[in-house]
């Protein structure tokens, strides 16, 4: 054992001694809370339901709603394991009634909140002052979905600063030493609260918006001698926050101000590099700054998010890894004490003792750094540290009940986490010796599946016993590009430059493996700048269409008998090529159809997934399935290729949908003629290149750009076309369906049509919805990619109970959107596809104005290009045209309804069924209401259909998963 | 131990001593045969392939064919386990070449055949005479498919009798004692060889045909002093054979003739009752007769057949049960020695010793009974028995190589059977003590799955590792009625009487749960006697159709949300009701559509299976299936009901298809309007009754009889009909398909059509086919139920190599068919459905006469009713109308082709695809040719598509399965 470990143990034991001298419960309030925590630690299922209930409670206004939710969350339907334990809510709260329960749970929340406003908090701070404990104050608040929200936040910070400065004017440093390093007033600022449009792909824009909002606060802080700390939240904003910090504090005005701090999260794999970079920056700057070292409070969020998107996980999987890194960073901070002031944010006595011991070894005075702990928790540790003569600061959240509940849930998670220090010490009485062990000794060797949260998602089938989970068939999407990395941003910029150089190139038809040029060329333009021609497509006529059918028919014989394994491989090779050409293909989409970066990347990802998913499915379908067995006879179900497939694709997912339909045809042993949309010929040509490179045999996949009215109609009616796969408008789809019904002379098969037509998607916001989430998703769904998706939100259905609450945040959120040329990063709303669409959508806006109330319309659009202002109509009735017809643009109709039943009726009252609005399902059985959301095979759900916290809704799984894997480490 | 057991052991040991005194290999010929047997006993897989190869060998004419089949049967493709053992054919027959192999295998066959004709056999018999061994001679021959075959057989028996009598004129009894009981000449007659149309449902007909053929043989036998034994084959003919025996030998002419014998098979559960009945009969008759007691040689066939049809298995599952029963019957025989002469047919020394011991106990002279053993086997035992002074007779098959091979396979099976005595004694050297144990001690208690071959079929997935076997999804058909039982015959006769009493009843429509009568009534007549009106259906018009759509639409909301488990239960209740009313429903079909008994029963069985299979499938589909899982999101695949379904059914499977389509609609949560065919309204009304009794909610299933041209067309076009399920003609089907393609005002869903239309089924008889089997299946498929099935054989495609061989047996087989009123049992060809069909089919026969050659047409049809003579055309070319158009009657076109490639081309060259002719699949990979046969879910395959022994064809499974479970016990 090293000398340092000896010293750590000595100091740690001393802290434990002091802690144990004043026995005190883990939480300052006993009763219900203690009981619930104890149950939660014993029963994961109960914990999940309890925390979900706590989360929804603030949204419930009527006692009957509270009771209804209790029944729903704790009923036995769907929670067999929970019931099996014999735990009943009645046993916990036998005196349950709505208001009392609410009051109790609110009490729980207040335990962790230092006050609901600045006046309130002052009382708390005074009390702490008497205990020689300092403070840093944080503002709780709802999600910032608009610039109005952000401005309000900024104003609240300024107000808080003023009040704190005024009230603490005469307070002195508790240690009376090195007090110049530690101003009494200390404000923790959540950067994400100050700008609603932060996009990880565009840090420059974020900084440009954040800096002007921060400067007045910083100036005033300097004036009143306060300290400002930049808090750190999710990884997506980390680089932007660091950049912002380094940028603003090198500005002339703040360059020599020492009272600025930032947070380093030890659970991040790149935290050491970040800290070294910061220290170097600080030395260059020449002025002290501060760092609060924490473990990190978003572990579940980060692991879940990275698994969802297929990203490298930014956090350590094992808790001891974070603990060990915390110590590494502690040493780094203390070694650089000459430029950086350290605050150690942890409740872990080992971590605290380590910092003390190492500081001691360096000969640092204890008054030159501090420990920070959370309000409402770990009181005995704070007291012990004060007794030992250390500097202690309490992190005090201030705010209302609603945002307070979300904070409460984070604290509850922490306190019940399997790996949390407080649980180990105060609930499980783990020995001091064990708790003081060197974390590096506890790190397990990296073994696949151990400590890897990826394993848990599929392994945990607890709540799915009643569902048919064939895990072998489960498909995992390929990763999205993470534009939070500078490297990704640069690659995309590079691809955009490269693709721009190719503007004006010509692309041939491909028939029977040959490139075919025709006299007629169709230009494809950039909708953001219609004078830019992205490329020219060859225009096929009847002779080329005939030639393509012949080629496809000839290739069918051999291809249909090619082993399915070989066909599946072809798709997988195509997927690999698209992976390699990913940025380039995305760039083409940005230019040709005006897709924002991440939407374009999502489209390529979907194309890749179609290939891999269909390959996987083909392996399943390709093997004959035994359906019956009697002696002497086995009956098998086989699938057989149909023949020649004609694929007609739209421009809105120009590579994904074309690829999906074509690759499905090809992998199943059919031969395919694919016609891209006239607006996205270059994307189509790219896909053809991909399949050629992948080695598709001649005639198996043919590329035929041209006019739908000419070659489309001809091929639909063709006697040698056996199957038609179409995605597009209802009008065209119905015509195809009808025409394909006619069996023509010489036709050998009944024609089959796979038809995906229009949508008029609805979202219902129930009365218990999280309004911030609902608004965020609504805005993204309605206006992302200009609403040009079959799955775009077109009808927002609000319960009257909720109407005002939602609308007062929805309009400002829409008004905060960044509209512009999607070639720029971080743009959410670009141009619509072409002039015809532009005129059609403007016409619909006129219709809307005559039918309903124009509640919002954006101004200040780019002057060039087919830009439509995001538009919101209210007072919309179900029979109005804007509520019935597909607009396919950034126009949202808001319908107000009485209750959920009417909401479902309105949602269902549409001619359109795509992405599920016709499929809302309501089953009333006993007191349990379940709504099931539709899913598409191999496709991710674009939006939550009924936005309501519900036992069966997708969000359930998200939440449950986060919670079950939780490892909190403040 | 009892005295008898002591005596058995004493005698048994003595036999073993004598056997071991003259060591001799198990089989008289060593070399290849010994080696193959040894390998077969070690390796089941090898054994199966070897025996299959032996079976096909006689059909192969060219050396290259032999080599080709060797490669196919012993290639590693699909036989991984076999290859894994390291056994290679090359190691066994390194000197392999076609002709040599053929010569060797022929040698193997000849080892078990006493001679290829009567001259040949005499030599063998003389040799045996010198060894004091007697004989009984049996004729080997191909399957009897026609009366020509049967007459030839009868002539051969007579000829054999004459020759044997002449050649053995001066032979004397080897024991010289009680010789009057044992004539020297002993002929074993296979009863099934004497009449090609034996139908278990109609023993009277069989006896009426068999007796006249037997009498000349019996007379002659009596004249020459010979003995005639009725051999016993499969259980289906057992009762008929017993009845025949008892009938003919009580005729005045044969009443006092003692030299008649019959076989009792101890493996049959009812053998004791049969034997007691025979003895009683014998006592009444007053003349001695003989019984050969055997264990039974068709164990695999009987267990397989009963499992296939869901019948109670007639044989004991455990070998010791048969052995014990053999002893019971031995005692019964010997106790009744005063009236019955016993012959014990067994190679089992325990069985032999038991008979000896028991006879001894009774004080019977050894010369008053005999032991019979097979030619070419168990020589040492025969010698031992002769030495001990017992009477020994050898069972000597006489015949050609082709039928000899089938006999060889039976013997090979026996010699390699796990449970055979010879294998135990001679190959495995089991101790005498063990072999002499009392079989009753060896019987295991009946435990589910133990000894029950039903368990094995699904448990054994050995060769299916590469296939996707989801055993949970595998469906087992419900049992067919076994008309071999008198009880079943009587129930059917009773049901026919009862249904006849109801002739002329009126049946209402059923709409929204109400019985609806209309003014117009449609009579439904008996096509066998068109003046008989089976019943009257109410005729629906447009108002009733509208009412039905309304009722179905109203019921949809609730039914679509009814839990699938409840919907599945409804179908299962309907199935139970049909099970209960089974004979009655069959009888209605016999009268209303002219179905033969077993076809009518098969239709009800299929209806029952549709209900149960769909219930099972619904439970599978009803549970959402997880298709994707990422943290925060699970994607499920759900199935949703579509809406109102219109079911249009044909008359040819009047209950099965109507029930199948309607029940599929109902169980999936749709509501259904079912329209039966105008020719089978009463059947439809019966089905409606069944569902009403099962408790189908009002409006969920509606019954609408009427004219297709009126209500059919109206409902197909109806905007509120979402789904159409149709089975019928191509003409009507294409019209529906086309009309349903049009989306009409107010229509909410694209109309879906499930359309099953015409067929023009082909069968290819490859050059290596078993001609007897091919002819039998062809005749059944082409003429069963008058060819009125989509799956009926319409085009028989013969390779020129095989053409003459097939045709020379096909025409006589057709000429032997029983055409008549299917109210009578045993009729295979009845009337066609109505006068329109009658005229249409006759017109086609005229077309055939003008296009091709009329090769056969039946005469002597019933004068009343719509009877069409079974007709065969030859010289048919693929482009002729009779080769292209669906005739739907008992008309068969025969096409001659050069080779298999042309055969496949011709088979595929049809507009029709139903039941698979369009789906013949030929994959050439290396030297392995695999053809896969199509199957229908939940439906049994009606016929083998490519009639060829093939590694992957259905027959493979049948054969393999029989063999793997084989327990032979001669």
């Amino acid at each position: 054992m090293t000398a340092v470990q000896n010293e750590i143990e000595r100091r740690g034991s001393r802290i434990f001694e002091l802690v144990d001298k004043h026995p005190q419960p883990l939480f300052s309030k006993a009763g219900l809370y203690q009981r619930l925590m104890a149950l939660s630690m014993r029963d994961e299922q109960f914990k999940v339901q309890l925390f979900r209930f706590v989360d929804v409670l603030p949204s419930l206004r009527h006692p009957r709603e509270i009771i209804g939710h209790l029944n729903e969350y704790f009923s036995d339907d769907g929670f067999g394991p929970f019931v099996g334990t014999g735990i009943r809510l009645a046993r916990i709260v036998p005196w349950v009634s709505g208001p009392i329960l609410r009051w109790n749970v609110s009490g729980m929340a207040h335990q962790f909140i230092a006050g609901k406003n600045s006046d309130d908090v002052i009382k708390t701070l005074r009390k702490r002052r008497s205990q020689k404990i300092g403070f840093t104050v944080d503002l709780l608040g709802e999600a910032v979905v608009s610039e109005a929200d952000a401005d309000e936040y900024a104003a609240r910070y300024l107000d808080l600063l003023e009040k704190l400065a005024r009230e603490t004017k005469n307070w002195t440093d508790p240690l009376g030493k090195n007090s110049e390093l530690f101003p009494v007033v200390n404000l923790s600022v959540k950067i994400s609260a100050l700008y609603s449009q932060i996009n990880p792909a565009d840090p420059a824009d974020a900084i440009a918006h954040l800096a002007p909002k921060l400067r007045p606060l910083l100036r005033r802080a300097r004036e009143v001698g306060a300290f400002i700390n930049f808090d750190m939240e999710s990884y997506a904003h980390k680089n932007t926050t660091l950049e912002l910090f380094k940028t603003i504090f090198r500005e002339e005005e703040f360059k020599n101000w020492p009272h600025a701090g930032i947070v380093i999260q030890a659970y991040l794999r790149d935290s050491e590099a970040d800290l070294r970079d910061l220290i170097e920056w600080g030395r260059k700057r020449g002025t002290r700054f501060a760092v609060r070292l924490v473990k990190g409070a978003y572990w579940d969020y980060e692991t879940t998010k990275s698994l969802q998107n297929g990203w490298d996980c930014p956090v350590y999987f094992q808790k001891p890894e974070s603990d060990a890194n915390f110590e590494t960073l502690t040493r780094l901070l203390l070694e650089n004490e000459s430029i950086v002031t350290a605050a150690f944010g942890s409740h872990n006595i080992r971590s605290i003792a380590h910092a003390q011991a190492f500081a001691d070894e360096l000969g640092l005075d204890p008054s030159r750094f501090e420990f920070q702990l959370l309000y409402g928790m770990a009181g005995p540790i704070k007291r012990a540290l004060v007794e030992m003569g250390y500097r202690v600061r309490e992190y005090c959240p201030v705010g209302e009940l609603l945002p307070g509940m979300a904070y409460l849930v984070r604290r509850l998670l922490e306190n019940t986490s399997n790996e949390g220090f407080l649980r180990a010490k105060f609930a499980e009485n783990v020995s001091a010796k064990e708790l003081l062990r060197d974390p590096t000794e506890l790190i397990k060797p990296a073994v696949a599946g151990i400590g890897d949260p990826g394993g848990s998602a599929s392994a945990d089938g607890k709540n799915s016993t009643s569902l048919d989970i064939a895990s072998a068939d489960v498909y995992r999407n390929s990763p999205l590009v993470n534009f939070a990395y500078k490297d990704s941003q640069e690659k995309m910029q590079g691809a955009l430059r490269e693709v721009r150089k190719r503007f004006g190139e010509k692309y041939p038809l491909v028939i029977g493996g040959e490139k075919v040029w025709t006299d007629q060329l169709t230009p494809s333009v950039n909708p953001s700048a219609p004078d830019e021609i992205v490329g020219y497509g060859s225009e096929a006529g009847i002779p080329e269409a005939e030639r393509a059918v012949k080629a496809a028919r000839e290739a069918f014989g051999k291809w249909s008998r090619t082993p399915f394994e070989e066909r599946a491989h072809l798709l997988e090779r195509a997927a690999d090529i698209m992976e390699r050409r990913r940025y380039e293909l995305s760039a083409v989409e940005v230019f040709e159809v005006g897709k924002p970066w991440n939407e374009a990347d999502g489209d390529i990802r979907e194309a890749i997934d179609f290939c891999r998913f269909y390959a996987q499915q083909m392996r399943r379908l390709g093997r004959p399935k035994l359906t019956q067995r009697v002696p002497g006879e086995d009956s098998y179900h086989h699938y057989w290729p149909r023949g020649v497939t004609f694929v007609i694709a739209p421009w809105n997912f120009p590579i994904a949908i074309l690829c999906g339909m074509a690759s499905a045809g090809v992998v199943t042993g059919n031969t395919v003629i694919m016609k891209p949309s006239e607006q996205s010929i270059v994307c189509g040509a790219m896909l053809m290149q991909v399949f050629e490179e992948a080695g598709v045999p001649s005639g198996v996949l043919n590329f035929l750009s041209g006019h739908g009215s000419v070659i489309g109609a001809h091929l639909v009616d063709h006697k040698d076309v056996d199957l038609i796969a179409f995605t597009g408008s209802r009008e065209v789809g119905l015509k195809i369906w009808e025409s394909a019904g006619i069996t023509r002379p010489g036709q050998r098969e009944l024609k089959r049509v796979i038809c995906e037509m229009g949508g008029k998607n609805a979202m219902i916001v129930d009365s218990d919805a999280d309004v911030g989430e609902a608004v965020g998703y609504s805005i993204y769904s309605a206006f992302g990619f200009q609403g040009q998706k079959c799955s775009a939100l077109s009808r927002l259905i609000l319960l009257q109970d909720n109407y005002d609450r939602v609308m007062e945040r929805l309009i400002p959120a829409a008004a905060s959107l960044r509209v512009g040329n999607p070639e720029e990063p971080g743009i959410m709303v670009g141009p619509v596809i072409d002039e015809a669409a532009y005129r059609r959508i403007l016409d619909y806006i006129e219709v809307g104005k005559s039918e309903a109330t124009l509640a919002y319309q954006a101004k200040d659009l780019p002057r060039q290009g087919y830009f439509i202002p995001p538009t919101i109509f209210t007072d919309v009735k179900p029979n109005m045209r804007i509520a019935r017809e597909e607009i396919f643009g950034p126009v949202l109709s808001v319908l107000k309804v009485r209750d959920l039943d009417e909401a479902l009726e309105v949602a269902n009252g549409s001619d359109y069924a795509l992405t599920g609005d016709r499929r809302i399902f309501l089953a009333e059985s006993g007191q349990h209401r379940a709504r099931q959301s539709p899913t598409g095979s191999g496709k991710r759900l674009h939006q939550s259909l009924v936005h309501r916290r519900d036992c069966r809704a997708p969000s359930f799984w998200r939440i449950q998963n986060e919670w079950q894997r939780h490892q909190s480490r403040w």
Side-chain angles (χ1 to χ4, degrees), chain A residues 180-181 222 245 249-261 278-291 336-341:
Chain A
E180 75 286 357
L181 299 181
R222 191 170 189 172
F245 185 80
F249 290 110
R250 258 165 87 174
E251 289 176 4
E252 209 45 49
E253 183 178 2
F254 304 110
K255 206 179 166 180
N256 61 351
W257 186 44
H259 294 147
L278 266 180
I279 289 168
E280 196 183 333
W281 166 86
R283 295 216 179 273
K284 275 193 194 138
R285 177 178 175 241
T287 311
R288 283 192 87 73
F289 68 104
V291 164
N336 289 282
E337 200 279 335
S338 59
I339 189 72
V340 60
T341 306

Side-chain angles (χ1 to χ4, degrees), chain A residues 803 807 811 852-857 871-875 892 894:
Chain A
Y803 185 83
M807 288 310 293
I811 304 276
T853 306
L854 179 70
Y856 170 73
Q857 186 160 46
T871 303
I872 298 174
F873 288 104
T874 50
D875 299 325
L892 177 64
V894 180

Side-chain angles (χ1 to χ4, degrees), chain A residues 607-921:
Chain A
I608 291 167
D609 280 336
F610 272 132
C611 287
R612 294 191 179 143
F613 178 72
Y614 288 153
Q616 182 202 54
Q617 290 298 303
M618 190 63 233
R619 290 197 177 91
R620 196 171 63 79
L621 295 179
R623 299 159 71 202
K625 188 164 169 281
L626 182 68
T627 55
Q628 196 190 40
R629 168 172 274 185
V630 287
E633 180 183 316
D634 284 11
S635 293
Y636 288 91
H637 185 147
H638 293 253
Y639 285 93
W640 304 87
R642 286 197 177 281
V644 174
T645 303
F646 180 38
V647 166
I648 310 166
W651 50 263
N652 65 333
F653 293 93
I655 294 184
I657 294 183
L658 185 67
C659 177
M661 296 196 293
S663 63
V666 163
V667 82
T668 49
N670 299 287
T671 52
V672 173
I673 300 165
M674 64 174 180
K675 191 192 96 53
S677 165
E678 288 146 71
Q679 287 83 3
S680 56
I681 294 173
V682 179
C683 285
M686 293 296 110
L687 183 67
M688 188 68 222
Q689 285 177 3
V690 165
F691 270 89
E692 285 182 299
E693 188 184 338
V696 67
S698 296
V700 170
L701 182 62
N702 303 278
F703 179 70
L704 212 64
S705 49
H707 288 294
S709 55
V710 181
I711 55 169
H714 182 76
L715 288 176
V716 164
D717 293 352
H718 202 290
K719 72 173 177 60
D720 281 329
V721 168
D722 302 294
L723 177 65
I724 298 153
F726 168 81
T727 303
S729 74
R730 182 164 65 168
E731 190 197 346
V732 175
L734 292 184
K735 253 191 226 164
I736 291 173
W737 188 262
E738 184 167 333
S739 183
I742 302 166
T743 306
R744 294 175 174 78
Q747 185 176 322
R748 281 167 61 102
E749 300 275 356
L750 291 183
K751 255 180 233 242
R752 306 303 169 109
V753 181
I754 300 162
C755 227
E756 190 169 317
M757 301 181 285
K760 187 74 184 172
N761 235 31
M763 187 188 290
I764 298 168
V765 181
D766 200 359
S767 54
D768 69 350
D770 177 322
V771 174
E773 266 200 345
V775 168
Y777 283 122
S778 298
I779 289 289
Y780 172 74
S781 183
F783 301 117
F785 188 37
Q786 302 82 269
Q788 298 175 119
K789 303 176 187 174
C790 57
S791 58
L793 173 62
S794 186
R795 300 178 293 150
L796 181 62
I797 302 171
L798 302 179
L799 269 64
Q800 60 189 17
D801 267 7
N802 237 10
Y803 185 83
D804 293 337
R805 285 204 291 164
V806 175
M807 288 310 293
E808 83 199 4
R809 300 188 65 197
L810 182 76
I811 304 276
S816 307
L817 287 172
R818 292 179 65 195
V819 183
N821 186 337
E823 197 176 342
E824 294 166 36
I827 290 293
M828 195 169 116
V829 187
V832 299
I833 187 68
D834 61 8
E835 190 165 346
Y838 180 77
R839 299 212 173 282
R840 190 176 39 76
I841 298 164
L842 287 183
D843 285 350
Y844 266 114
I845 291 175
E846 289 311 307
V847 169
K849 283 178 186 166
S850 71
E851 288 180 329
T853 306
L854 179 70
Y856 170 73
Q857 186 160 46
K859 290 176 199 78
D860 300 326
L861 302 181
R863 250 170 304 172
Q864 205 199 11
Y866 307 121
F867 290 90
I868 298 271
T871 303
I872 298 174
F873 288 104
T874 50
D875 299 325
V876 179
K877 300 295 166 216
N879 61 341
M880 290 178 182
R881 281 185 61 197
I882 56 168
R884 285 188 294 109
E885 298 174 15
E886 186 174 36
I887 299 172
F888 225 66
V891 179
L892 177 64
S893 297
V894 180
L895 295 98
K896 193 200 288 192
V897 294
R898 204 173 45 252
D899 53 22
L900 193 61
D901 289 335
E902 191 188 342
L904 288 166
E905 199 185 309
V906 168
N908 283 337
S910 165
D911 283 349
Y912 291 96
L914 197 57
T915 77
D917 52 344
R918 282 286 295 285
R919 295 179 184 179
I920 289 176
F921 182 73

